[in-house]
Amino acid sequence: MTQIGNDTVGQTCAVDGIRLHYRTDGGRGKPCLVLSNSLGTDLSMWDAQAAALAGDFFVVRYDTRGHGRSASGGAPFGIDRLGLDVVALLDHLDIERAAFCGISMGGLTGQWLGIHQPRRLTKLVLANTAARIGGAAPWQLRAEQVRRDGMAAVADSAAARWFTPQFIEREAETVARLAGILRSQDAGGYAACCDVLAQTDLHDAVGTIAVPTLIIAGEHDPVTTIDDGRWLQQQIAGGRLASLPASHISNIEAADLFTEQLRTFLL
């Protein structure tokens, strides 16, 4: 059974007036790999990858601003702020360059880094993401909903977007744990990231990414589809595409295959 929890406690660093929560696994002498979570989750979503890859990498995973134990700061922010949080975290850890893997919203952060901060990256993995995730109006409506009604308004329906029906039936405990993490998120921080997704469209810029890039797509992902992954591959010179038998949170639903794709690409 996949083990995911919300009790993964690490350290914090000060970034732009907030405390950013992060955890490290593996030795400092190894190449650095940064892992960036999806909307409504926290750094514990990477438990399987961190455990499997700590022997080869200095794994740095963090709670995206407004998620988990990372504050949002209250003021509106954009995708540039999410990208600069990663830069600040690397600076805090005195790491000049790192590989970066982001899933969904974390994949948008990765695209921004590849466009604007390529010198800080060795390799880039964009998982279950797109240059624009959905349209502006649905994200705006969701932000309004959680600000008004709290996280329960979206937590009950999340599993159907995240996982296939087969996984939901087979791994009911894991799915319930992820839904619980979503339910426990700060509504204001979650809504602020919904606003980021509503605003972010990188279609005109991803073609400038020159960092070696792997795109991972879920064959059954209704949120960021295989076609979204193919489009990214076509725009990014030398981009590779791997498809996994999973829905949107493929690093959990197909954890072993996801980890093997990371290991093969990064080593």
Side-chain angles (χ1 to χ4, degrees):
M1 178 176 292
T2 305
Q3 294 298 312
I4 301 294
N6 58 2
D7 58 349
T8 308
V9 179
Q11 305 172 67
T12 61
C13 68
V15 178
D16 187 44
I18 71 156
R19 306 300 295 182
L20 196 71
H21 176 242
Y22 69 95
R23 174 173 171 168
T24 65
D25 298 272
R28 280 297 303 255
K30 295 177 170 55
C32 181
L33 168 62
V34 178
L35 301 173
S36 183
N37 61 283
S38 61
L39 180 71
T41 65
D42 61 21
L43 60 77
S44 71
M45 77 174 300
W46 297 109
D47 282 352
Q49 284 72 43
L53 297 173
D56 297 309
F57 298 94
F58 179 56
V59 181
V60 178
R61 42 188 171 139
Y62 70 101
D63 290 335
T64 296
R65 177 179 290 252
H67 284 64
R69 293 181 171 91
S70 292
S72 67
F77 53 86
I79 191 64
D80 56 338
R81 181 65 264 165
L82 298 186
L84 290 171
D85 285 348
V86 177
V87 174
L89 179 57
L90 291 176
D91 289 344
H92 171 76
L93 294 168
D94 196 27
I95 294 170
E96 181 62 29
R97 301 179 75 220
F100 181 94
C101 174
I103 188 166
S104 192
M105 177 178 66
L108 273 179
T109 301
Q111 291 170 62
W112 188 93
L113 288 167
I115 294 162
H116 297 283
Q117 294 285 330
R119 67 181 185 84
R120 304 305 298 267
L121 302 179
T122 56
K123 290 186 177 181
L124 179 60
V125 181
L126 307 174
N128 298 87
T129 194
R132 179 174 184 83
I133 300 178
W139 290 119
Q140 291 165 348
L141 288 173
R142 191 183 300 186
E144 293 170 4
Q145 182 182 27
V146 298
R147 287 185 173 112
R148 181 183 64 246
D149 302 327
M151 293 305 301
V154 296
D156 292 341
S157 61
R161 297 190 300 272
W162 285 352
F163 302 112
T164 63
Q166 294 83 359
F167 185 84
I168 292 170
E169 181 178 359
R170 186 175 71 250
E171 295 282 359
E173 185 177 336
T174 296
V175 174
R177 199 172 296 119
L178 264 291
I181 291 172
L182 174 59
R183 192 174 283 105
S184 70
Q185 298 293 338
D186 174 71
Y190 180 93
C193 285
C194 288
D195 290 337
V196 172
L197 293 174
Q199 299 159 7
T200 304
D201 185 345
L202 301 177
H203 277 96
D204 293 338
V206 292
T208 66
I209 295 176
V211 180
T213 301
L214 171 68
I215 298 101
I216 297 177
E219 295 170 4
H220 310 292
D221 188 347
V223 181
T224 52
T225 66
I226 285 280
D227 286 343
D228 290 321
R230 289 196 186 101
W231 189 89
L232 287 171
Q233 179 197 21
Q234 292 164 2
Q235 302 305 307
I236 299 171
R240 307 181 196 179
L241 176 65
S243 61
L244 301 183
S247 186
H248 190 56
I249 309 296
S250 67
N251 76 300
I252 293 175
E253 181 160 1
D256 291 344
L257 292 173
F258 189 103
T259 302
E260 188 54 38
Q261 288 291 338
L262 280 186
R263 190 191 305 277
T264 300
F265 177 67
L266 296 175
L267 289 178

